[in-house]
Amino acid sequence: MQIDGAGRQQRGHVLLIAGDAAVRRRAVQVAPSANLAALGVLPASALLNSQVPSDTTYLDGARDPNTVLMRLRAAAATPGPLLVYLSGRLTLDRRGHGLHLALAGTTASTVRYTALPWDWLGTELAARPAGPTTVVLDLVADKSAWPVLQEYGSLPASPSAEVYGVVVPPAFAGGPHQVSAYTRHWIDQLRRSPTRPANLQLHAFAVGAAALPPGTLVLPATRELGATAAPQAPQAPQAPQGQTPDPRPHIHALASGGRHQEAATLAQAWEQHVLQTHGYTSPEATHWAEIRADLARMAGNYRSATQLWINAGHTRLEQQSPDAPEVLAAAAGALYCWTQLKDQAAARDSGPELVRLLRALPSLEPRLLRLTQQRLEVLEGAVGTP
């Protein structure tokens, strides 16, 4: 029996909250119920990183924010370790301009009465007794909430809590009903690792492996990950037998700090290692090509980023369905970088390949393909003009 400083028996709690699903153009961006079901097969000891006795509470389909508040308050009162997981759609109360987690049935006109005010989470966790507190987020922001998040640059929960997660922008097309990439990779790492990694390592792995849409808000950011998780770069891409010394957080930290050439060089070295280990058509090789594409974007090299994303999209299409989230994410990355190209010749050169990729995606919003074709026609008509 473990006793805390006040003489109470240590007891942990896992609180899993599924808000409203985020859907765009009939495509599911995040399916909170699927995420909760996947997490539910893991033992609480793995989620909490603790062997103390613990309880697990599932909140799926709740419509009353006060019901969620009562469960949150009860979980926050536990004297031992606490994990709060939230998945769903972030929205905005347009009258009070406060962020809310949309619950089942929440609409734009009923946010104040049917959604969970985000401030409630911080208020309840701030009163926690001594004990580690972890908040994990897998969210999508709608069009009303996204500008506020960009202004904040973060999504606070509680100063006393470790907060990890992602908030995907509203333009992401999404994929079929399934566990979202960030949560899926968090779970996979917990299952595969012989010893339970620290939460920061789990988060870093999930962010690096999830092929997140461009612009995704990552908590904590890559700069913080690099400072905490990987203070020194590996001298060579070596993978000790039976382990993973994942270099991705450090590579992204280099790029975030403006050291783009170092980041690109290190990524190329690891890509070559993966090519030799897994083969040129392996998912691992494609993922590293996508990492280099995002590094090129961060460096402002949109020409290279566009081509790398297009190549990754075509490669994934050879192995995955056209509506797979990874395929759609590659297409979104290619389209975004192409729209940032100021060099008309470069945009003309890569435009036809981009159009071919977008045409292969039946679940893509038709307007995106139409606008891409129109811009390409303008560029091709500008040949020879000063």
Side-chain angles (χ1 to χ4, degrees), residues 32-57:
S33 297
N35 288 347
L36 257 63
L39 284 165
V41 303
L42 295 175
S45 58
L47 292 172
L48 288 172
N49 194 20
S50 173
Q51 297 299 321
V52 301
S54 59
D55 305 296
T56 301
T57 300

Side-chain angles (χ1 to χ4, degrees), residues 7-25:
R8 297 170 296 188
Q9 180 181 2
Q10 279 272 337
R11 192 168 188 87
H13 198 104
V14 175
L15 176 59
L16 307 177
I17 301 175
D20 191 27
V23 181
R24 182 174 184 270
R25 302 271 182 181

Side-chain angles (χ1 to χ4, degrees), residues 287-310:
H287 177 57
W288 275 98
E290 292 168 339
I291 289 175
R292 291 205 298 116
D294 202 43
L295 292 175
R297 175 194 62 80
M298 295 174 73
N301 185 356
Y302 292 109
R303 181 172 191 163
S304 178
T306 298
Q307 194 60 55
L308 285 167
W309 276 121
I310 289 174

Side-chain angles (χ1 to χ4, degrees), residues 106 145 279:
T106 296

Side-chain angles (χ1 to χ4, degrees), residues 175-190:
H177 294 246
Q178 62 176 7
V179 180
S180 56
Y182 176 78
T183 296
R184 183 173 71 250
H185 286 293
W186 185 290
I187 293 170
D188 287 348
Q189 187 69 357
L190 277 176

Side-chain angles (χ1 to χ4, degrees), residues 19-24 27-35 85-90 138-141 168 172 174-180 183:
D20 191 27
V23 181
R24 182 174 184 270
V28 176
Q29 297 174 293
V30 63
S33 297
N35 288 347
Y85 172 89
L86 300 103
S87 182
R89 173 172 62 93
L90 270 183
D138 196 336
L139 305 168
V140 172
V168 174
F172 178 46
H177 294 246
Q178 62 176 7
V179 180
S180 56
T183 296

Side-chain angles (χ1 to χ4, degrees), residues 19-262:
D20 191 27
V23 181
R24 182 174 184 270
R25 302 271 182 181
R26 299 183 181 179
V28 176
Q29 297 174 293
V30 63
S33 297
N35 288 347
L36 257 63
L39 284 165
V41 303
L42 295 175
S45 58
L47 292 172
L48 288 172
N49 194 20
S50 173
Q51 297 299 321
V52 301
S54 59
D55 305 296
T56 301
T57 300
Y58 298 84
L59 274 180
D60 189 359
R63 291 178 174 269
D64 181 4
N66 288 302
T67 299
V68 182
L69 176 62
M70 287 188 293
R71 296 290 189 180
L72 178 61
R73 185 167 293 167
T78 187
L82 171 66
L83 173 87
V84 179
Y85 172 89
L86 300 103
S87 182
R89 173 172 62 93
L90 270 183
T91 190
L92 188 73
D93 168 19
R94 294 178 180 177
R95 181 182 297 182
H97 299 286
L99 290 171
H100 289 63
L101 178 68
L103 301 179
T106 296
T107 65
S109 62
T110 65
V111 171
R112 298 186 70 190
Y113 313 105
T114 64
L116 180 73
W118 194 256
D119 290 345
W120 288 7
L121 178 65
T123 299
E124 295 305 318
L125 295 183
R128 280 265 298 147
T133 306
T134 305
V135 178
V136 180
L137 311 172
D138 196 336
L139 305 168
V140 172
D142 66 16
K143 290 182 179 179
S144 67
W146 186 246
V148 176
L149 281 177
Q150 289 183 303
E151 180 182 346
Y152 288 171
S154 183
L155 184 61
S158 171
S160 61
E162 293 183 11
V163 182
Y164 305 101
V166 294
V167 186
V168 174
F172 178 46
H177 294 246
Q178 62 176 7
V179 180
S180 56
Y182 176 78
T183 296
R184 183 173 71 250
H185 286 293
W186 185 290
I187 293 170
D188 287 348
Q189 187 69 357
L190 277 176
R191 285 174 171 168
R192 295 174 181 176
S193 300
T195 58
R196 206 274 195 188
N199 289 330
L200 183 62
Q201 293 173 315
L202 288 172
H203 171 70
F205 176 85
V207 168
L212 298 169
T216 296
L217 177 64
V218 177
L219 307 166
T222 51
R223 183 185 298 274
E224 300 170 63
L225 286 176
T228 316
Q232 295 184 349
Q235 297 300 312
Q238 300 175 352
Q241 186 175 5
Q243 297 183 22
T244 309
D246 185 359
R248 287 169 292 194
H250 180 67
I251 290 173
H252 279 275
L254 288 173
S256 297
R259 297 161 65 180
H260 299 293
Q261 187 57 51
E262 293 176 66

